[in-house]
Amino acid sequence: MPFALVDCNNFYVSCERVFNPGLEGKPTVVLSNNDGCIIARSNEAKALGIKMGEPFFRCRQIIEKHHVKVYSSNFSLYGDMSSRVMETLGLFSPDMEIYSIDEAFLLLDEGIDNPVAWGKLVKSTVRKWTGIPVSIGIGPTKTLAKVAAHLAKTRPEGVVYTGDSPYTMLKDVDVADVWGIGSRYAHKLRSMGIHTALELINLPDDWVKRHMTSAGLRTVMELKGIECIQLEQVAGTRKSAMCSRSFGREVRALHELQEAVAAYASRAAEKVRAQGSAASCIQVFLARSPLKHGRYRVAITSMDLPEATSYTPEIIRAAKHMAGRLYRPGGVYKKAGVILSGLVARGEVQKNLVYPSGETQDRQRLMETMDELNARWGRGTIAFAAGGIERPWKMRQAMRSPRFTTSWDNIPVARVG
DNA sequence: TCTGGGGTCCTAGGACCC
DNA sequence: TCTGGGGTCCTAGGACCC
C-alpha cells in the first residue's frame, strides 16, 4: 500500500498569508525566535536568493531593496493552523502519521486506483478548508514519497506519484535532497563523485553501512523501494524535553539568568507533565557570546534527582542552583536552556526511601490546576514569580502578527460594504 | 552590533565485571 | 619472559530531521 507525504508549502509564510491576503505574490519571510535568522521564505523570497537559516542582518539589504515583508515567528498561530490541516487530512485516510508541524504521511487505501487524482482532491480540499497550499508525493516507501513530494513542489499540479518504476525519477534528484542525507553526508558523497539519488543506490551496501551507519543503509533500501520505515500512528512519548531561548539583550547579572532559567524550567516541566511523565535528570546550560567567529561558549551541568518529579517548584529550585554554579562573574550571556531527561511515566516513579521528594497529591493537584488554567486562558496566565515579571531578558519579536486564531483579542474583523 | 529551537538515533571507546 | 577473552553499561560526539 503506497505512502503519501503531504507537505505544506512555505508553511509559516502561508499561515501569514491566510490572514493577510495582500501578501500573496509578494516576497515574504518569517524570522526565527529573537528575530535572528530566516526560517521560512515565500517562493518570491527564494527567487531573490535569500537562504534558509541566513541571519537576518546579513540579508537586510536585499530585504529593504525589494520591500520583502518580514514577520517574527508566531508559533501559536502556526500550531493552530497545523491542527486544522491535520484534521482535514485525517478525513482522507484512517492511517496517518503527523510527522512535523507541516507534514503528514498517509497510507492510501487499497481501493484507490488513481493516486494522482486522489492527491489532487486532498490538495484542493486542504486549500479550500484551511487556506494552506500543499504539495503531495506518493510512493511505495516513505523515503520515495518524500522524494516525490520534493519534485511536486516544482510542478504546477503539485502532486507526483512515483508509479511502478521510481528509478527513472531518481536520476533527477540531488543526493542532498534525499530524506536522511544531511549536509555532512552530502558533502562526503559529492567529494566521491556521487551526485544523484540514482548514483547513491548503486553504491555497495557494505560501503554505505560502513560510512553512513545502518541509518544510511536504510535510506538506500527505501530508495530502492524496500520498506524499512513504518508508519508511526501513535505519537511516542518523548524521551527528553527542552526549553531554551536566546536573550533579547546581553545578560550579565546572575539574578536575571536565574529568572530566565526558572522560566525555562517551568516551561520544560509543563511539557513533561503534558505527556504524563516525570523527569529524573535536569541539565542546565548557559551560553556566552562567541569569541570572534567561533561558536557559542557553552557551560553545561547536569544533576540526577533522587526521585523523578514533574513538580515545577522543585525543578525551578534545582535549575536556579545549577545556574548559580555555572555562572562566572563578568561573563556576558546570550542564551540559556533547561533540559529534562530520563523521563518515566508518572505512575511508575521509583520511590527513594532515603531522600523522598515529597511529591504529594496536593502538589500534583496544584500542577494540574495550573496547567488547566493556562490551557484555557493562554500560556502564562498563571506562573511562578521566580520566572520574573518584567523579563528584561526576553527575546525580541518586533514584527509578530496578531494571534488571529488563539486569542479573542486578536480575532480578525471583516467589514462588508 | 546583529547567527532559532526542539527533537531522535547510532557508534566508538572506556570502565568495569567475571 | 610473560601479559585472555567476552560481555554490559555509560557517555560523548556526530549524524540526522523539521
Side-chain angles (χ1 to χ4, degrees), chain A residues 19-37:
Chain A
F19 294 93
N20 192 346
L23 297 173
E24 211 67 51
K26 304 225 171 80
T28 305
V29 298
V30 174
L31 302 179
S32 63
N33 273 329
N34 221 26
D35 295 344
C37 48

Side-chain angles (χ1 to χ4, degrees), chain A residues 272-308:
Chain A
V272 166
R273 286 197 299 273
Q275 64 163 28
S277 299
S280 48
C281 177
I282 303 184
Q283 285 172 285
V284 171
F285 67 85
L286 303 180
R288 289 184 293 163
S289 54
L291 293 162
K292 286 276 159 88
H293 307 289
R295 301 208 288 191
Y296 280 121
R297 291 173 292 163
V298 182
I300 184 161
T301 181
S302 74
M303 186 175 108
D304 288 316
L305 294 163
E307 212 170 87

Side-chain angles (χ1 to χ4, degrees), chain A residues 98-163:
Chain A
I98 297 174
Y99 177 67
S100 72
I101 192 165
D102 68 338
E103 284 173 63
F105 287 102
L106 282 81
L107 278 186
L108 267 69
D109 202 75
E110 295 287 3
I112 295 163
D113 48 26
N114 188 340
V116 173
W118 177 88
K120 285 182 181 168
L121 177 64
V122 173
K123 183 178 160 64
S124 63
T125 307
V126 172
R127 181 66 191 242
K128 206 182 301 167
W129 293 4
T130 69
I132 300 291
V134 300
S135 300
I136 301 180
I138 302 168
T141 64
K142 279 183 164 182
T143 306
L144 284 168
K146 280 281 242 179
V147 167
H150 177 75
L151 294 173
K153 301 223 157 170
T154 62
R155 311 277 173 87
E157 67 276 16
V159 179
V160 166
Y161 173 47
T162 60

Side-chain angles (χ1 to χ4, degrees), chain A residues 25-284:
Chain A
K26 304 225 171 80
T28 305
V29 298
V30 174
L31 302 179
S32 63
N33 273 329
N34 221 26
D35 295 344
C37 48
I38 311 285
I39 56 168
R41 306 157 296 158
S42 69
N43 289 343
E44 300 79 16
K46 289 176 190 173
L48 290 173
I50 297 171
K51 299 273 183 302
M52 182 70 173
E54 198 173 4
F56 180 37
F57 72 89
R58 218 181 276 161
C59 42
R60 200 150 205 158
Q61 282 206 327
I62 306 182
I63 284 173
E64 279 165 14
K65 185 170 165 206
H66 297 274
H67 308 291
V68 176
K69 307 286 179 194
V70 180
Y71 287 84
S72 301
S73 44
N74 184 349
F75 285 107
S76 46
L77 174 68
Y78 310 150
D80 187 62
M81 292 304 289
S82 173
S83 326
R84 297 178 186 202
V85 171
M86 299 305 169
E87 241 173 82
T88 308
L89 293 177
L91 300 176
F92 287 92
S93 173
D95 303 301
M96 170 163 92
E97 171 187 342
I98 297 174
Y99 177 67
S100 72
I101 192 165
D102 68 338
E103 284 173 63
F105 287 102
L106 282 81
L107 278 186
L108 267 69
D109 202 75
E110 295 287 3
I112 295 163
D113 48 26
N114 188 340
V116 173
W118 177 88
K120 285 182 181 168
L121 177 64
V122 173
K123 183 178 160 64
S124 63
T125 307
V126 172
R127 181 66 191 242
K128 206 182 301 167
W129 293 4
T130 69
I132 300 291
V134 300
S135 300
I136 301 180
I138 302 168
T141 64
K142 279 183 164 182
T143 306
L144 284 168
K146 280 281 242 179
V147 167
H150 177 75
L151 294 173
K153 301 223 157 170
T154 62
R155 311 277 173 87
E157 67 276 16
V159 179
V160 166
Y161 173 47
T162 60
D164 297 327
S165 54
Y167 283 28
T168 51
M169 135 186 135
L170 295 184
K171 71 175 189 328
D172 299 323
V173 176
D174 187 328
V175 80
D177 293 331
V178 172
W179 187 44
I181 306 296
S183 61
R184 299 303 181 100
Y185 286 161
H187 182 77
K188 185 189 231 169
L189 289 165
R190 269 198 294 267
S191 72
M192 302 174 42
I194 308 294
H195 294 94
T196 69
L198 187 63
E199 288 164 344
L200 174 62
I201 66 172
N202 284 323
L203 283 170
D205 288 351
D206 60 338
W207 186 93
V208 174
K209 174 109 195 271
R210 191 146 27 92
H211 291 93
M212 300 166 66
T213 81
S214 55
L217 186 56
R218 206 163 51 211
T219 296
V220 169
M221 305 282 268
E222 283 245 321
L223 284 175
K224 292 178 180 172
I226 301 160
E227 186 183 331
C228 304
I229 307 173
Q230 278 80 39
L231 194 78
E232 286 170 34
Q233 294 190 60
V234 281
T237 46
R238 235 193 291 281
K239 296 178 177 174
S240 66
M242 163 156 87
C243 178
S244 82
R245 296 278 183 282
S246 306
F247 302 131
R249 62 153 167 78
E250 292 175 339
V251 170
R252 294 182 153 81
L254 175 60
H255 76 270
E256 284 189 10
L257 278 175
Q258 286 181 315
E259 211 176 88
V261 163
Y264 304 163
S266 169
R267 177 69 194 121
E270 273 175 30
K271 291 187 193 179
V272 166
R273 286 197 299 273
Q275 64 163 28
S277 299
S280 48
C281 177
I282 303 184
Q283 285 172 285
V284 171

Side-chain angles (χ1 to χ4, degrees), chain A residues 393-408:
Chain A
W393 38 267
K394 76 168 186 283
M395 63 186 181
R396 287 185 296 260
Q397 275 195 318
M399 298 153 280
R400 206 195 66 219
S401 54
R403 296 190 162 125
F404 294 113
T405 63
T406 55
S407 165
W408 287 111

